[in-house]
């Protein structure tokens, strides 16, 4: 599993980052909170949650480890998937949610 990545920003949108790590492009879903933190940086380090399903592998990136931990706590709740958890974290700071 991928747990952490550092690389160069290729493209950045409010919910998506394409990162070049030693010649490999990683497509990473991000929260608006993380977007705000990394928008002015060229070299980015993110904590990664790797979500594996039978038909896909998705990467979710977070600027801080507490944000990643809150994401993992949220997706452990019945009925809350990665998309909903990312939306929650995009609307409220981790400390406020806690």
């Amino acid at each position: 599993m991928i747990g952490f990545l550092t690389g160069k920003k290729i493209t950045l949108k409010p919910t998506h980052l394409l990162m070049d790590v030693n010649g490999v492009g990683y497509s990473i879903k991000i929260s608006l909170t993380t977007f705000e933190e990394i928008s002015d940086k060229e070299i980015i380090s993110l904590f990664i949650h790797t979500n594996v399903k039978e038909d896909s592998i998705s990467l979710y990136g977070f600027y801080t480890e507490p944000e990643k931990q809150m994401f993992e706590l949220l997706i452990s709740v019945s009925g809350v998937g990665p998309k909903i958890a990312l939306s929650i974290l995009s609307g409220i700071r981790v400390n406020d949610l806690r």
Side-chain angles (χ1 to χ4, degrees):
M1 295 290 180
I2 298 170
F4 188 84
L5 288 172
T6 298
K8 182 180 177 186
K9 172 176 59 178
I10 301 300
T11 61
L12 178 64
K13 297 179 182 174
T15 59
H16 181 261
L17 166 68
L18 181 60
M19 180 190 291
D20 177 352
V21 180
N22 296 323
V24 178
Y26 289 91
S27 177
I28 305 166
K29 296 172 185 172
I30 58 173
S31 68
L32 289 176
T33 305
T34 295
F35 172 78
E36 291 170 1
E37 294 289 339
I38 66 173
S39 61
D40 61 343
K41 296 176 174 37
E42 284 300 314
I43 302 298
I44 300 165
S45 296
L46 294 178
F47 295 93
I48 301 294
H49 173 84
T50 306
N51 188 34
V52 179
K53 293 183 181 179
E54 63 183 52
D55 61 342
S56 67
I57 298 174
S58 299
L59 301 179
Y60 294 86
F62 306 95
Y63 189 69
T64 65
E65 194 165 18
E67 187 181 18
K68 177 188 175 201
Q69 292 168 346
M70 183 60 74
F71 175 83
E72 291 172 340
L73 182 63
L74 286 168
I75 63 173
S76 73
V77 174
S78 179
V80 178
K83 288 180 185 178
I84 292 173
L86 207 58
S87 294
I88 291 169
L89 291 173
S90 290
I92 188 169
R93 300 276 179 188
V94 171
N95 289 336
D96 295 335
L97 182 58
R98 194 177 317 230

